[in-house]
Amino acid sequence: MVNLLNLDQQGLIDFFSSFGEKPFRATQIMQWVHQQGLLEFDAMTNLSKGLRQHLKEIACFSLPEVKRHQISQDGTQKWLLQLDSENSIETVFIPEDDRGTLCVSSQVGCALNCHFCATGYQGFNRNLTVAEIIAQVWLARHRLCPNQTISNIVMMGMGEPLTNFDNVVTAMKLMRDDFAYGISWRRLTLSTVGIVPAIKRLREECPVSIAVSLHAPTDELRDQLLPINKKYPLHQLMSACRAYTQGKPSRHITFEYVMLKDINDSPAEAYALVKLLKNIPAKINLIPFNPFPSCPYQRATSESINRFRDILTQAKLVTVTRKTRGDEIDAACGQLAGKVLDRRRKQ
Ligand code: SAH
């Protein structure tokens, strides 16, 4: 059985052509499934009876099961989705006055072990399939919050999207496709720890906005917080970021900077950041650290966050402090955990 949720428009065209059906069948199916939210072949009335019958024999739509749904006082919603007997993931919807943002996971756990991230503490089990990624959008749109508009999608949930490159790119093509979710590239954001070769590939294949988890302005500090920096140090990362926007003014880069008390929140780091980001057209997102059990760090004070922001703003860097949303249901940045069978840590 082919799970049709694994296929983007090109994948569906290839699937239909493998048994002699025309390419327009792909867009018909996409409209039923992704726009209308229907998963029953019998309800797809513009397909002939014979074709529907054939599809029932060879294809299916397989989705994760919703295990838990929580709503925070500020309206943030979080779902725990069961993928199989051993794995579950979390998806978050954040309503704001002018937009609704869905935060989507790309892996079960994460292998990168950033020292301030709850997902990293769990270890890594596996990549999500295209179906498991796009199902988060399908469920939110058609079953879970059908009355609320999803205007933006951020690949900022569990996992490092660029180490699950092919599946994430295929799923993002569906998010973009006008026959599916029709969300513009500018409103689709992929957040990455900075996998340099994959940023270069993304530039060619999928022009989404990117958010880069910087968190430190020097290699010395970044090596301590994000072990991946030893492999892709700052000069490589910065040159990949510069190249990402070159000649493409519509591509946006945001640098994320988690504010950790007495670790990376002093004026010296703010000035070093100004120097590092010279000549890169980018926005900076300061994220107050969200604590979780067994993590040694503390959130920077609001005074130090404001002081840090003012230094960046005076240097003409567009800087926004991210509002902490949904923290009492553990839905804030870095708090998503789901349930992971941790193969790596058992070894
Ligand atoms: N792997 C991707 C997506 C991670 S989550 C990435 O690294 O970008 C999205 C953002 O939340 C990242 O910037 C991440 O560094 C940040 N984050 C992780 N743990 C956090 C925590 N405990 N508090 C605040 N932000 C955190």
Side-chain angles (χ1 to χ4, degrees):
M1 282 279 185
V2 182
N3 182 1
L4 296 185
L5 291 177
N6 273 315
L7 305 179
D8 64 358
Q9 184 171 157
Q10 189 55 51
L12 285 166
I13 290 172
D14 296 344
F15 166 76
F16 279 112
S17 81
S18 72
F19 51 96
E21 284 288 336
K22 294 254 157 51
F24 71 85
R25 296 294 182 203
T27 49
Q28 285 181 323
I29 283 268
M30 286 166 73
Q31 285 173 308
W32 286 118
V33 173
H34 297 292
Q35 292 186 351
Q36 309 290 332
L38 276 170
L39 299 180
E40 296 292 319
F41 290 118
D42 280 332
M44 301 180 182
T45 45
N46 55 2
L47 308 182
S48 71
K49 273 212 173 120
L51 177 57
R52 283 186 244 160
Q53 190 52 40
H54 185 54
L55 287 173
K56 278 197 267 183
E57 284 157 21
I58 62 166
C60 63
F61 301 102
S62 171
L63 290 163
E65 191 189 332
V66 182
K67 272 296 193 205
R68 197 174 63 212
H69 178 199
Q70 290 167 282
I71 306 183
S72 133
Q73 276 173 358
D74 65 16
T76 301
Q77 304 190 50
K78 181 172 90 165
W79 299 280
L80 179 72
L81 305 178
Q82 186 82 40
L83 306 178
D84 53 49
S85 58
E86 286 164 349
N87 295 296
S88 56
I89 49 157
E90 293 182 318
T91 306
V92 177
F93 178 73
I94 307 150
E96 286 173 276
D97 293 342
D98 57 342
R99 67 176 111 174
T101 304
L102 191 70
C103 180
V104 169
S105 293
S106 57
Q107 295 179 322
V108 185
C110 186
L112 290 168
N113 205 16
C114 301
H115 294 167
F116 48 84
C117 178
T119 309
Y121 268 59
Q122 300 180 303
F124 172 71
N125 195 15
R126 69 169 173 83
N127 282 331
L128 298 192
T129 62
V130 176
E132 288 163 342
I133 298 169
I134 207 66
Q136 298 172 64
V137 185
W138 189 92
L139 282 164
R141 171 93 146 230
H142 299 296
R143 294 290 179 273
L144 303 168
C145 43
N147 308 326
Q148 278 162 315
T149 309
I150 299 169
S151 60
N152 296 58
I153 299 179
V154 292
M155 297 299 305
M156 265 186 210
M158 295 166 64
E160 168 49 46
L162 290 186
T163 57
N164 184 13
F165 192 93
D166 292 337
N167 292 349
V168 165
V169 164
T170 302
M172 292 195 95
K173 285 183 177 163
L174 276 170
M175 296 172 198
R176 169 66 202 92
D177 200 310
D178 284 330
F179 291 102
Y181 298 94
I183 299 176
S184 69
W185 291 124
R186 203 168 52 82
R187 290 173 179 274
L188 293 173
T189 302
L190 181 150
S191 181
T192 177
V193 73
I195 311 289
V196 167
I199 294 177
K200 293 183 181 159
R201 233 185 113 190
L202 194 69
R203 184 175 189 274
E204 309 305 320
E205 296 182 27
C206 187
V208 286
S209 299
I210 57 172
V212 175
S213 292
L214 199 55
H215 306 322
T218 60
D219 282 320
E220 195 190 355
L221 184 55
R222 201 165 186 267
D223 281 351
Q224 287 170 34
L225 298 173
L226 300 94
I228 193 72
N229 193 65
K230 297 197 181 107
K231 190 160 181 195
Y232 304 116
L234 281 171
H235 71 275
Q236 288 186 22
L237 179 57
M238 288 302 130
S239 94
C241 290
R242 252 183 234 110
Y244 196 78
T245 48
Q246 240 156 38
K248 311 267 179 190
S250 61
R251 289 191 192 178
H252 292 251
I253 298 196
T254 304
F255 288 99
E256 296 164 292
Y257 195 99
V258 63
M259 296 297 293
L260 303 166
K261 185 168 186 232
D262 299 334
I263 303 283
N264 65 357
D265 63 340
S266 77
E269 274 103 29
Y271 289 117
L273 192 57
V274 169
K275 208 166 141 201
L276 183 73
L277 297 183
K278 219 166 72 191
N279 304 329
I280 303 187
K283 202 178 100 179
I284 298 159
N285 228 319
L286 300 179
I287 313 175
F289 170 65
N290 294 306
F292 56 92
S294 79
C295 180
Y297 299 114
Q298 290 174 310
R299 180 179 292 181
T301 61
S302 35
E303 291 76 41
S304 69
I305 296 177
N306 291 342
R307 189 177 55 192
F308 201 93
R309 184 203 54 209
D310 290 346
I311 293 170
L312 301 180
T313 313
Q314 273 157 23
K316 307 250 177 316
L317 292 168
V318 179
T319 309
V320 175
T321 305
R322 191 177 289 174
K323 270 189 278 168
T324 296
R325 299 289 303 260
D327 52 347
E328 85 273 15
I329 57 167
D330 290 341
C333 300
Q335 292 182 319
L336 299 187
K339 178 177 151 246
V340 176
L341 175 75
D342 185 349
R343 291 205 179 117
R344 191 190 58 186
R345 276 163 202 246
K346 278 188 187 151
Q347 279 162 7

